[in-house]
Amino acid sequence: LACAHAQARDCERPRIWWRAALSAMACCYDTEATGPRRSIFGCCAAEEDKGTEFTPIPVTAVFQTSGPVSQDEVVPNTEPDSFGDPVLPPLALPSRIPEPAPRQAKEPKPPEEVPEQTSAVDEGRAFSFDFAVDLADSELGMKLYVMPTSITISQLKPGAVARYNAAASPAYQVRQNDFIEAVNGRTAVTEMIEGLKCKGQMTLRVHRAVPWNVTISRNGQILGCRINAMPGHSVIYVNEVMGGATLAYNQQARDDLRIKVNDCFVAVNGISGDVDKMVFECQDAKKLDLRLTVARPPNT
């Protein structure tokens, strides 16, 4: 439109301005030409002869067929125009208009995999669980090893806990060497002992630790830890680590695998459940290596 406006503005005769506008909109003109300027549609505008009527010029190519036109069907116009200019070459047309490539459908993204929910039981981690018992007409049915910081279940006997185990799933059955973590919501050892003496409904929280195996090489050294072993119970408590082979092991072991105060030996050289035999294995100087299975009470 800007080109048409500029072309029409150069015409002093208003009656022919529309021809100049039509010619300008039809195609681009050579702005550096000094002679008549021509469009491919045959219209021209004489820049100098503004008093001359504009005469349409025949088109340079005649289409003799209807419908799709191929290159062979284009017939050039060989008649000279009124200005004596050479006839423009025939318009080159493609033999066939290429069809657009079909749009390929995007492949749907596979659904994201949702990680399977696992519990501490499935993964072998330490966990705690609650269960309720009724002591109105029966005993609790557990032999307990009471230490200042924890209570260990050393033995199971007939009673309320045995009835609970009969109905519970295997993963949540009370086992030997489990720890009592709370009694009716109380976590202090003295308060838990008082709660276990009561009759009626009782809710217990049991903690199941995950034991790990330790091999201690004596190399002529003493074991180096003070232990607490009560006859008739199933574990040996560590009261103090003083030195010797235990300290040498701790210095090269990872922190969470070191032997610490209040840890329990639940097995010594494959022997478990018999404290007397376990203590003998610990004191036997002929044993060059000690294979210990250690469990850690909750909150220690």
Side-chain angles (χ1 to χ4, degrees), residues 103-223:
R103 182 176 298 178
Q104 296 180 354
K106 295 183 179 179
E107 296 182 0
K109 295 182 178 180
E112 296 182 358
E113 295 183 1
V114 179
E116 183 180 356
Q117 300 295 327
T118 58
S119 64
V121 178
D122 300 327
E123 298 179 355
R125 294 183 285 112
F127 68 99
S128 301
F129 61 93
D130 296 341
F131 69 97
V133 292
D134 189 356
L135 303 180
D137 55 355
S138 66
E139 298 294 330
L140 188 60
M142 294 189 299
K143 185 177 181 179
L144 305 177
Y145 191 178
V146 180
M147 291 296 292
T149 59
S150 61
I151 301 176
T152 307
I153 302 173
S154 294
Q155 186 179 353
L156 295 173
K157 301 183 292 185
V161 175
R163 291 197 301 270
Y164 160 78
N165 280 349
S169 62
Y172 294 96
Q173 291 176 353
V174 181
R175 301 175 186 175
Q176 187 183 43
N177 297 332
D178 283 348
F179 299 95
I180 295 181
E181 189 174 0
V183 177
N184 292 331
R186 306 294 181 91
T187 57
V189 172
T190 55
E191 294 177 346
M192 289 192 292
I193 293 298
E194 292 299 322
L196 291 171
K197 296 178 181 179
C198 299
K199 293 292 183 179
Q201 292 285 340
M202 182 184 303
T203 300
L204 304 177
R205 174 172 295 171
V206 172
H207 177 81
R208 180 159 301 152
V210 179
W212 71 94
N213 296 320
V214 171
T215 299
I216 296 180
S217 298
R218 290 180 183 271
N219 294 325
Q221 303 179 83
I222 62 173
L223 182 59

Side-chain angles (χ1 to χ4, degrees), residues 246-298:
T246 303
L247 181 60
Y249 163 78
N250 282 348
Q251 290 175 346
Q252 55 86 31
R254 204 173 64 193
D255 180 69
D256 58 334
L257 299 179
R258 294 174 181 170
I259 297 175
K260 302 179 181 180
V261 176
N262 296 324
D263 284 350
C264 300
F265 298 161
V266 298
V268 180
N269 290 336
I271 300 173
S272 62
D274 191 331
V275 170
D276 294 336
K277 292 182 179 179
M278 293 165 61
V279 171
F280 178 78
E281 291 291 322
C282 291
Q283 295 175 344
D284 189 359
K286 297 180 181 179
K287 302 289 186 180
L288 299 179
D289 293 329
L290 277 181
R291 292 178 289 107
L292 305 175
T293 302
V294 186
R296 182 158 294 159

